[in-house]
Amino acid sequence: MKFYKLNKNVETPAYATEKSAGFDISPFLEADTKIRCYNPHNKEMFLPVRVDGSGRIYAQILPDFRALLPTGLVLDISEDKYVAINVRSSMALKYGIVLANQTAIIDEDYTNETFIMIQNTGDTPVQIFSGQRIAQCTIHNRNAEALEETSVPVDQKTDREGGLGSTGTEAIQEDAPKKKAGRPKKIVE
C-alpha cells in the first residue's frame, strides 16, 4: 500500500516485525499548534501542542477527553480493501488511552489525512508525543454485499432462542461462584 507524507518529518509507518499483523502509525504534532478535542461534557476545545525540556513535541490529553491527532499521512488504499486502526495494547494497559470509536475504519476512497481519535480513560493527564507509536493499522478485504429491503420477517436459522446476549450466559451463571448471604468479612490487620 502506498502512502503520502504531508511533511517530510512525518514518521514513516512500519511493521514492527516481519510477522506483525499491523503497521504502526504515530501522531504528527507541530509545536505551537492546537489539536481538536472534546471534554467530558462534549464541548469542543483546542488543546495546545507544547515542547518539553528535551525538545520533544507533545500534547497533553486530559482525563475523559477525546482528541483528534493528525498523522501527517494520506493512505492510498488498494481497490476492494479498507484499513482498520486500533490502539496499541500497551497504550490501553499502561496509560488508559483507547480509540474513542474503538476501531476506526478507513475506506479505499478516503484520500485525506489520516487521524487517530483517542480518549484518555484514566484519571490523570497523559502526554502523547509526536512520532510515538500509539496505534496500528491492519489491511482487510472489503466484502460489501448488496443491501435489499424485504417485506417479510427474517426466518429463524437455528434453534437459538432470545436476542442480544442470549447465548452463553447460562454457562457463565452456572459456573460463577455462589455469593454467601450475610455481612461482609472484617479485615484483620
Side-chain angles (χ1 to χ4, degrees):
M1 183 180 74
K2 295 178 183 175
F3 61 88
Y4 175 74
K5 291 183 178 185
L6 295 171
N7 182 300
K8 64 179 177 143
N9 296 319
V10 167
E11 192 73 26
T12 299
Y15 292 94
T17 71
E18 67 180 47
K19 301 291 185 182
S20 293
F23 57 90
D24 295 332
I25 59 171
S26 309
F28 176 68
L29 305 174
E30 296 180 277
D32 301 320
T33 61
K34 295 184 182 222
I35 59 166
R36 183 175 165 198
C37 66
Y38 287 83
N39 71 13
H41 306 289
N42 294 320
K43 181 181 177 190
E44 183 179 35
M45 303 178 77
F46 292 87
L47 294 177
V49 175
R50 298 187 169 121
V51 181
D52 71 7
S54 302
R56 298 181 303 169
I57 300 170
Y58 72 95
Q60 183 166 279
I61 312 303
L62 302 173
D64 286 332
F65 272 56
R66 299 178 310 277
L68 196 59
L69 302 176
T71 64
L73 293 170
V74 177
L75 303 179
D76 186 7
I77 302 169
S78 302
E79 186 175 347
D80 291 326
K81 304 280 186 186
Y82 71 92
V83 170
I85 301 177
N86 291 285
V87 72
R88 294 185 71 228
S89 56
S90 61
M91 294 301 297
L93 179 64
K94 295 177 183 177
Y95 308 107
I97 296 295
V98 298
L99 288 188
N101 56 342
Q102 302 307 311
T103 299
I105 300 294
I106 306 173
D107 300 313
E108 71 178 86
D109 59 352
Y110 179 78
T111 57
N112 294 312
E113 182 176 11
T114 300
F115 288 85
I116 307 168
M117 188 185 340
I118 63 168
Q119 181 174 3
N120 179 357
T121 63
D123 58 4
T124 58
V126 175
Q127 292 179 344
I128 302 294
F129 293 91
S130 188
Q132 181 180 4
R133 297 176 306 133
I134 66 168
Q136 52 187 243
C137 297
T138 51
I139 303 169
H140 302 269
N141 291 322
R142 185 177 66 84
N143 296 311
E145 289 191 29
L147 302 176
E148 179 182 345
E149 182 178 1
T150 178
S151 60
V152 296
V154 177
D155 289 333
Q156 185 70 27
K157 296 179 181 179
T158 66
D159 60 356
R160 176 183 181 156
E161 293 181 25
L164 181 66
S166 64
T167 61
T169 55
E170 288 179 25
I172 293 170
Q173 291 171 349
E174 289 174 9
D175 294 342
K178 305 285 187 227
K179 290 185 178 179
K180 293 182 182 179
R183 299 173 62 167
K185 292 183 180 179
K186 187 176 182 180
I187 299 174
V188 180
E189 294 183 20

